[in-house]
Amino acid sequence: MKFVKQFLIILSVTCAGEALSYFLPLPIPSSIYGMVILFTGLATHKISYESVQDVGHFLIEIMPVMFIPAAVGILESWDKIKSVWVQYAIVVVVTTVLVMGVSGRVTQHFVERKGKNG
Amino acid sequence: MVDFLTQSVFFGAFLSLLFYEAGLYLRSKWKLPVFNPLLVAIVLTVAALAALKIPYEAYFSGAKYISYLLTPATVCLAIPLYEQFEMLKKNSIAILAGIVSGAITSMALVLILAAAFRFSHESYVTLLPKSITTAIGIEISGQLGGNVPITAVVIIVTGVLGNILAEPVCRLFGITNPIAKGVGIGTASHAIGTAKAMELGKVEGAISSLSIVVSGLLTVIGSIVFSYLY
Protein backbone atom coordinates (compact mmCIF):
# COMPACT_ATOMS: atom_id res chain seq x y z
CA MET A 1 0.00 0.00 0.00
CA LYS A 2 3.02 2.30 -0.02
CA PHE A 3 2.05 3.92 -3.35
CA VAL A 4 -1.38 4.97 -2.11
CA LYS A 5 0.12 6.51 1.02
CA GLN A 6 2.88 8.28 -0.92
CA PHE A 7 0.38 9.65 -3.43
CA LEU A 8 -1.82 10.77 -0.54
CA ILE A 9 1.04 12.75 1.01
CA ILE A 10 1.94 14.36 -2.32
CA LEU A 11 -1.69 15.28 -3.00
CA SER A 12 -2.16 16.73 0.50
CA VAL A 13 0.86 18.97 -0.06
CA THR A 14 -0.52 19.92 -3.50
CA CYS A 15 -3.90 20.80 -1.96
CA ALA A 16 -2.23 22.84 0.78
CA GLY A 17 -0.39 24.70 -2.00
CA GLU A 18 -3.69 25.31 -3.78
CA ALA A 19 -5.22 26.69 -0.59
CA LEU A 20 -2.31 29.12 -0.07
CA SER A 21 -2.50 30.23 -3.70
CA TYR A 22 -6.25 30.78 -3.33
CA PHE A 23 -6.20 32.69 -0.04
CA LEU A 24 -2.98 34.72 -0.32
CA PRO A 25 -3.12 37.73 -2.65
CA LEU A 26 0.22 36.98 -4.36
CA PRO A 27 0.84 35.98 -8.00
CA ILE A 28 2.38 32.67 -6.91
CA PRO A 29 0.94 29.41 -8.27
CA SER A 30 -0.05 26.43 -6.11
CA SER A 31 2.80 24.29 -7.49
CA ILE A 32 5.43 26.71 -6.14
CA TYR A 33 3.80 26.87 -2.69
CA GLY A 34 3.57 23.08 -2.75
CA MET A 35 7.23 22.71 -3.67
CA VAL A 36 8.24 24.99 -0.78
CA ILE A 37 5.99 23.09 1.67
CA LEU A 38 7.35 19.68 0.60
CA PHE A 39 10.95 20.89 0.72
CA THR A 40 10.44 22.41 4.17
CA GLY A 41 8.77 19.21 5.35
CA LEU A 42 11.65 17.07 4.10
CA ALA A 43 14.36 19.40 5.44
CA THR A 44 12.79 19.52 8.91
CA HIS A 45 12.06 15.74 8.81
CA LYS A 46 8.32 16.34 9.33
CA ILE A 47 7.88 14.40 6.07
CA SER A 48 10.24 11.46 5.68
CA TYR A 49 12.09 11.04 2.39
CA GLU A 50 10.97 7.38 2.14
CA SER A 51 7.31 8.38 2.41
CA VAL A 52 7.32 10.29 -0.92
CA GLN A 53 10.32 9.11 -2.97
CA ASP A 54 8.82 6.37 -5.21
CA VAL A 55 5.72 8.21 -6.40
CA GLY A 56 7.72 11.46 -6.51
CA HIS A 57 10.36 10.02 -8.80
CA PHE A 58 7.67 8.43 -10.98
CA LEU A 59 5.88 11.79 -11.43
CA ILE A 60 9.16 13.58 -12.21
CA GLU A 61 10.13 10.97 -14.77
CA ILE A 62 6.86 11.26 -16.71
CA MET A 63 6.83 15.06 -16.40
CA PRO A 64 8.08 15.83 -19.97
CA VAL A 65 5.07 13.97 -21.39
CA MET A 66 2.75 16.33 -19.49
CA PHE A 67 3.93 19.26 -21.62
CA ILE A 68 2.95 17.65 -24.94
CA PRO A 69 -0.80 18.52 -24.94
CA ALA A 70 -0.19 22.23 -24.22
CA ALA A 71 2.61 22.43 -26.80
CA VAL A 72 0.42 20.80 -29.45
CA GLY A 73 -2.25 23.36 -28.54
CA ILE A 74 0.06 26.20 -29.59
CA LEU A 75 -0.87 25.49 -33.20
CA GLU A 76 -4.42 26.42 -32.28
CA SER A 77 -3.18 29.90 -31.36
CA TRP A 78 -1.42 30.39 -34.69
CA ASP A 79 -4.02 32.94 -35.91
CA LYS A 80 -3.26 35.18 -32.93
CA ILE A 81 0.49 35.31 -33.46
CA LYS A 82 0.98 34.94 -37.21
CA SER A 83 1.27 38.71 -37.80
CA VAL A 84 4.13 39.15 -35.31
CA TRP A 85 5.65 35.68 -35.16
CA VAL A 86 9.02 36.53 -36.78
CA GLN A 87 9.81 39.25 -34.22
CA TYR A 88 8.51 37.15 -31.33
CA ALA A 89 10.57 34.18 -32.52
CA ILE A 90 13.72 36.35 -32.55
CA VAL A 91 12.99 37.52 -28.99
CA VAL A 92 12.42 33.93 -27.82
CA VAL A 93 15.55 32.47 -29.45
CA VAL A 94 17.89 35.33 -28.46
CA THR A 95 16.74 35.54 -24.84
CA THR A 96 16.63 31.77 -24.27
CA VAL A 97 20.18 31.25 -25.55
CA LEU A 98 21.69 34.29 -23.83
CA VAL A 99 19.90 33.84 -20.48
CA MET A 100 21.09 30.24 -20.34
CA GLY A 101 24.62 31.27 -21.32
CA VAL A 102 24.89 34.25 -18.96
CA SER A 103 23.37 32.63 -15.86
CA GLY A 104 25.37 29.43 -16.42
CA ARG A 105 28.65 31.32 -16.93
CA VAL A 106 28.11 33.51 -13.86
CA THR A 107 27.45 30.46 -11.65
CA GLN A 108 30.44 28.60 -13.11
CA HIS A 109 32.67 31.62 -12.44
CA PHE A 110 31.64 31.71 -8.75
CA VAL A 111 31.92 27.93 -8.30
CA GLU A 112 35.42 27.85 -9.81
CA ARG A 113 36.60 30.86 -7.84
CA LYS A 114 35.42 29.24 -4.62
CA GLY A 115 37.19 26.03 -5.63
CA LYS A 116 40.48 27.93 -5.96
CA ASN A 117 40.18 29.71 -2.62
CA GLY A 118 39.12 26.71 -0.61
CA MET B 1 -12.87 5.06 -37.21
CA VAL B 2 -12.37 8.81 -36.93
CA ASP B 3 -15.58 8.93 -34.91
CA PHE B 4 -14.17 6.41 -32.48
CA LEU B 5 -10.85 8.26 -32.23
CA THR B 6 -12.54 11.57 -31.43
CA GLN B 7 -14.75 9.81 -28.85
CA SER B 8 -11.96 7.85 -27.16
CA VAL B 9 -10.89 9.03 -23.72
CA PHE B 10 -7.48 7.36 -23.84
CA PHE B 11 -6.41 7.88 -27.44
CA GLY B 12 -4.92 11.35 -26.85
CA ALA B 13 -2.88 10.21 -23.85
CA PHE B 14 -1.85 7.05 -25.75
CA LEU B 15 -0.62 9.13 -28.72
CA SER B 16 1.43 11.45 -26.48
CA LEU B 17 3.16 8.56 -24.69
CA LEU B 18 3.70 6.56 -27.89
CA PHE B 19 5.35 9.47 -29.69
CA TYR B 20 7.47 10.37 -26.67
CA GLU B 21 8.78 6.78 -26.62
CA ALA B 22 9.39 7.05 -30.37
CA GLY B 23 11.41 10.20 -29.66
CA LEU B 24 13.47 8.41 -26.98
CA TYR B 25 14.11 5.58 -29.45
CA LEU B 26 15.21 7.95 -32.22
CA ARG B 27 17.60 9.71 -29.86
CA SER B 28 19.16 6.45 -28.68
CA LYS B 29 19.74 5.58 -32.35
CA TRP B 30 21.07 8.94 -33.55
CA LYS B 31 22.48 11.35 -31.00
CA LEU B 32 21.30 14.55 -32.73
CA PRO B 33 19.72 17.47 -30.81
CA VAL B 34 16.87 17.53 -33.35
CA PHE B 35 15.76 14.10 -32.03
CA ASN B 36 14.67 15.67 -28.78
CA PRO B 37 11.90 13.37 -27.45
CA LEU B 38 9.65 16.29 -26.55
CA LEU B 39 10.05 17.93 -29.98
CA VAL B 40 9.55 14.60 -31.77
CA ALA B 41 6.39 13.93 -29.73
CA ILE B 42 4.95 17.39 -30.50
CA VAL B 43 5.68 17.18 -34.24
CA LEU B 44 4.38 13.61 -34.60
CA THR B 45 1.23 14.37 -32.56
CA VAL B 46 0.45 17.41 -34.74
CA ALA B 47 1.07 15.32 -37.89
CA ALA B 48 -1.07 12.43 -36.64
CA LEU B 49 -3.97 14.71 -35.71
CA ALA B 50 -3.83 16.33 -39.15
CA ALA B 51 -3.54 12.99 -40.98
CA LEU B 52 -6.41 11.38 -39.02
CA LYS B 53 -8.46 14.62 -39.15
CA ILE B 54 -8.89 14.62 -35.36
CA PRO B 55 -9.74 18.10 -34.01
CA TYR B 56 -7.42 19.45 -31.28
CA GLU B 57 -10.33 19.64 -28.79
CA ALA B 58 -11.00 15.90 -29.20
CA TYR B 59 -7.32 15.08 -28.70
CA PHE B 60 -7.08 17.41 -25.71
CA SER B 61 -10.20 16.00 -23.99
CA GLY B 62 -8.21 12.78 -23.49
CA ALA B 63 -4.65 14.13 -23.32
CA LYS B 64 -5.51 16.70 -20.62
CA TYR B 65 -5.46 13.93 -18.02
CA ILE B 66 -1.70 13.59 -18.39
CA SER B 67 -1.28 17.35 -17.90
CA TYR B 68 -3.55 17.12 -14.84
CA LEU B 69 -0.61 15.65 -12.93
CA LEU B 70 1.64 18.61 -13.72
CA THR B 71 1.01 20.42 -10.40
CA PRO B 72 1.79 17.42 -8.14
CA ALA B 73 4.80 16.60 -10.36
CA THR B 74 6.13 20.16 -9.96
CA VAL B 75 5.60 19.89 -6.19
CA CYS B 76 7.74 16.72 -6.27
CA LEU B 77 10.68 18.68 -7.69
CA ALA B 78 11.28 19.41 -3.99
CA ILE B 79 12.51 15.80 -3.64
CA PRO B 80 15.68 16.08 -5.81
CA LEU B 81 16.16 19.51 -4.25
CA TYR B 82 16.22 17.89 -0.81
CA GLU B 83 18.58 15.14 -2.04
CA GLN B 84 21.07 17.85 -3.04
CA PHE B 85 20.53 20.07 0.01
CA GLU B 86 24.15 19.94 1.24
CA MET B 87 25.54 20.82 -2.18
CA LEU B 88 22.96 23.58 -2.43
CA LYS B 89 24.01 25.19 0.84
CA LYS B 90 27.68 24.98 -0.08
CA ASN B 91 27.13 26.77 -3.40
CA SER B 92 24.30 29.09 -2.48
CA ILE B 93 26.09 32.30 -3.49
CA ALA B 94 27.16 30.97 -6.89
CA ILE B 95 23.63 29.67 -7.56
CA LEU B 96 21.93 32.86 -6.45
CA ALA B 97 24.33 35.08 -8.44
CA GLY B 98 23.63 33.04 -11.59
CA ILE B 99 19.85 33.15 -11.21
CA VAL B 100 19.78 36.90 -10.46
CA SER B 101 21.97 37.66 -13.48
CA GLY B 102 19.81 35.41 -15.65
CA ALA B 103 16.51 36.96 -14.56
CA ILE B 104 17.85 40.47 -15.18
CA THR B 105 19.34 39.45 -18.55
CA SER B 106 15.97 38.03 -19.62
CA MET B 107 14.02 41.20 -18.86
CA ALA B 108 16.77 43.51 -20.16
CA LEU B 109 16.91 41.63 -23.48
CA VAL B 110 13.13 41.83 -23.89
CA LEU B 111 13.42 45.59 -23.21
CA ILE B 112 16.20 46.07 -25.78
CA LEU B 113 14.49 43.97 -28.46
CA ALA B 114 11.10 45.60 -27.82
CA ALA B 115 12.71 49.00 -28.37
CA ALA B 116 14.53 47.75 -31.49
CA PHE B 117 11.32 46.32 -33.00
CA ARG B 118 9.23 49.30 -31.79
CA PHE B 119 6.78 47.00 -29.99
CA SER B 120 3.69 48.42 -28.28
CA HIS B 121 3.73 48.51 -24.46
CA GLU B 122 1.23 45.63 -24.54
CA SER B 123 3.57 43.43 -26.62
CA TYR B 124 6.46 44.37 -24.34
CA VAL B 125 4.73 43.29 -21.11
CA THR B 126 3.35 40.20 -22.89
CA LEU B 127 6.95 39.06 -23.47
CA LEU B 128 8.50 40.32 -20.22
CA PRO B 129 7.81 37.17 -18.11
CA LYS B 130 8.69 34.77 -20.95
CA SER B 131 11.49 32.84 -19.21
CA ILE B 132 9.60 31.84 -16.06
CA THR B 133 7.09 29.13 -15.21
CA THR B 134 3.70 29.46 -16.96
CA ALA B 135 1.51 29.91 -13.88
CA ILE B 136 3.55 32.89 -12.56
CA GLY B 137 4.21 34.30 -16.03
CA ILE B 138 0.58 34.57 -17.10
CA GLU B 139 -0.28 36.18 -13.79
CA ILE B 140 2.38 38.87 -14.29
CA SER B 141 1.36 39.41 -17.90
CA GLY B 142 -2.29 39.86 -16.90
CA GLN B 143 -1.51 42.31 -14.11
CA LEU B 144 0.74 44.44 -16.31
CA GLY B 145 -1.84 44.55 -19.13
CA GLY B 146 -0.26 42.00 -21.45
CA ASN B 147 -1.96 39.48 -23.73
CA VAL B 148 -2.24 36.43 -21.46
CA PRO B 149 -2.85 33.65 -24.08
CA ILE B 150 0.15 34.86 -26.11
CA THR B 151 2.31 34.98 -22.98
CA ALA B 152 1.38 31.33 -22.34
CA VAL B 153 2.36 30.39 -25.91
CA VAL B 154 5.68 32.27 -25.70
CA ILE B 155 6.51 30.65 -22.32
CA ILE B 156 5.85 27.13 -23.64
CA VAL B 157 7.89 27.78 -26.82
CA THR B 158 10.73 29.13 -24.64
CA GLY B 159 10.62 25.98 -22.51
CA VAL B 160 10.62 23.59 -25.46
CA LEU B 161 13.45 25.55 -27.09
CA GLY B 162 15.47 25.49 -23.86
CA ASN B 163 14.87 21.74 -23.60
CA ILE B 164 16.16 21.23 -27.18
CA LEU B 165 19.07 23.69 -27.00
CA ALA B 166 20.29 22.97 -23.44
CA GLU B 167 23.23 20.79 -24.44
CA PRO B 168 24.41 22.80 -27.52
CA VAL B 169 24.13 26.11 -25.61
CA CYS B 170 26.13 24.78 -22.65
CA ARG B 171 28.81 23.59 -25.08
CA LEU B 172 28.79 26.93 -26.92
CA PHE B 173 29.35 28.90 -23.71
CA GLY B 174 31.78 26.37 -22.24
CA ILE B 175 29.47 25.57 -19.32
CA THR B 176 30.73 22.25 -17.96
CA ASN B 177 29.98 22.45 -14.23
CA PRO B 178 26.73 20.59 -13.36
CA ILE B 179 25.63 23.33 -10.94
CA ALA B 180 26.12 25.97 -13.64
CA LYS B 181 24.23 23.85 -16.19
CA GLY B 182 21.29 23.52 -13.79
CA VAL B 183 21.15 27.27 -13.15
CA GLY B 184 21.36 28.07 -16.87
CA ILE B 185 18.68 25.61 -17.94
CA GLY B 186 16.21 26.35 -15.14
CA THR B 187 16.59 30.13 -15.31
CA ALA B 188 16.21 30.25 -19.10
CA SER B 189 13.54 27.62 -19.65
CA HIS B 190 11.63 26.82 -16.40
CA ALA B 191 9.98 23.39 -15.90
CA ILE B 192 10.14 22.21 -19.52
CA GLY B 193 13.89 22.84 -19.55
CA THR B 194 14.15 21.22 -16.12
CA ALA B 195 12.81 17.98 -17.62
CA LYS B 196 15.99 18.02 -19.73
CA ALA B 197 18.18 18.93 -16.74
CA MET B 198 16.76 15.88 -14.91
CA GLU B 199 18.01 13.69 -17.78
CA LEU B 200 21.49 15.23 -17.60
CA GLY B 201 21.93 14.40 -13.91
CA LYS B 202 20.68 14.72 -10.35
CA VAL B 203 22.63 17.89 -9.59
CA GLU B 204 21.52 19.59 -12.81
CA GLY B 205 17.89 18.61 -12.15
CA ALA B 206 17.83 19.78 -8.54
CA ILE B 207 19.46 23.14 -9.30
CA SER B 208 17.21 23.66 -12.30
CA SER B 209 14.14 23.06 -10.09
CA LEU B 210 15.40 25.61 -7.60
CA SER B 211 16.02 28.09 -10.42
CA ILE B 212 12.35 27.89 -11.48
CA VAL B 213 11.25 29.08 -8.04
CA VAL B 214 13.90 31.76 -7.51
CA SER B 215 13.79 33.23 -11.03
CA GLY B 216 9.98 33.16 -10.93
CA LEU B 217 9.87 35.16 -7.69
CA LEU B 218 12.59 37.58 -8.84
CA THR B 219 10.64 38.21 -12.04
CA VAL B 220 7.47 39.00 -10.06
CA ILE B 221 9.32 41.93 -8.49
CA GLY B 222 11.59 42.77 -11.43
CA SER B 223 8.83 42.91 -14.02
CA ILE B 224 7.04 45.65 -12.08
CA VAL B 225 10.18 47.81 -12.27
CA PHE B 226 10.82 46.89 -15.92
CA SER B 227 7.21 47.63 -16.91
CA TYR B 228 7.90 51.35 -16.27
CA LEU B 229 10.97 51.39 -18.53
CA TYR B 230 9.19 51.12 -21.89
Side-chain angles (χ1 to χ4, degrees), chain B:
Chain B
M1 187 63 182
V2 172
D3 274 354
F4 165 71
L5 294 179
T6 45
Q7 290 294 316
S8 167
V9 179
F10 297 104
F11 187 67
F14 161 74
L15 269 189
S16 298
L17 283 168
L18 176 74
F19 291 144
Y20 190 77
E21 270 303 311
L24 288 173
Y25 174 76
L26 284 176
R27 195 185 51 186
S28 70
K29 276 267 180 195
W30 298 281
K31 295 209 180 306
L32 292 171
V34 70
F35 289 127
N36 172 283
L38 186 59
L39 181 67
V40 169
I42 294 164
V43 171
L44 289 181
T45 306
V46 169
L49 295 183
L52 296 168
K53 294 193 172 55
I54 300 170
Y56 175 72
E57 291 74 28
Y59 158 78
F60 190 73
S61 68
K64 68 174 180 225
Y65 296 107
I66 341 173
S67 308
Y68 166 79
L69 289 171
L70 199 51
T71 306
T74 310
V75 170
C76 289
L77 291 175
I79 299 169
L81 207 56
Y82 169 71
E83 289 167 359
Q84 304 294 332
F85 197 19
E86 285 308 311
M87 183 271 301
L88 217 72
K89 277 193 281 192
K90 237 179 270 165
N91 296 287
S92 54
I93 291 171
I95 294 165
L96 201 63
I99 302 173
V100 171
S101 66
I104 294 172
T105 304
S106 178
M107 290 182 282
L109 281 173
V110 173
L111 174 65
I112 293 165
L113 290 168
F117 291 136
R118 299 183 189 286
F119 280 164
S120 64
H121 179 75
E122 190 196 337
S123 295
Y124 168 61
V125 292
T126 298
L127 292 171
L128 206 48
K130 62 161 283 297
S131 299
I132 62 169
T133 192
T134 319
I136 303 184
I138 58 175
E139 191 79 26
I140 293 176
S141 172
Q143 281 177 5
L144 297 178
N147 185 322
V148 172
I150 293 185
T151 300
V153 169
V154 172
I155 289 174
I156 295 168
V157 174
T158 297
V160 174
L161 194 70
N163 186 301
I164 298 165
L165 294 180
E167 286 171 292
V169 168
C170 286
R171 226 174 296 131
L172 178 70
F173 285 88
I175 301 165
T176 49
N177 181 278
I179 301 171
K181 281 186 187 175
V183 168
I185 297 169
T187 308
S189 50
H190 52 93
I192 309 184
T194 298
K196 180 70 183 187
M198 287 285 173
E199 285 175 28
L200 296 181
K202 286 198 161 190
V203 173
E204 289 90 334
I207 303 289
S208 190
S209 309
L210 177 70
S211 306
I212 302 174
V213 180
V214 178
S215 67
L217 299 181
L218 286 173
T219 305
V220 170
I221 304 158
S223 61
I224 296 168
V225 178
F226 268 86
S227 71
Y228 288 108
L229 300 181
Y230 181 79

Side-chain angles (χ1 to χ4, degrees), chain A residues 3 10 12 20 23 25 29 33 36 40-41 44 48 50 52 57-59 73 82 84 91-92 105 109 112 118:
Chain A
F3 293 118
I10 290 166
S12 7
L20 284 180
F23 289 110
Y33 282 121
V36 173
T40 311
T44 57
S48 83
E50 288 72 27
V52 286
H57 285 131
F58 168 72
L59 286 174
K82 67 179 172 197
V84 287
V91 174
V92 168
R105 283 302 304 194
H109 170 80
E112 282 170 357

Side-chain angles (χ1 to χ4, degrees), chain A residues 2-38:
Chain A
K2 68 172 182 182
F3 293 118
V4 176
K5 197 173 164 209
Q6 291 195 12
F7 198 39
L8 168 68
I9 293 173
I10 290 166
L11 281 187
S12 7
V13 172
T14 308
C15 285
E18 270 190 314
L20 284 180
S21 174
Y22 182 82
F23 289 110
L24 297 179
L26 299 169
I28 296 168
S30 46
S31 56
I32 300 290
Y33 282 121
M35 205 197 289
V36 173
I37 297 169
L38 183 56

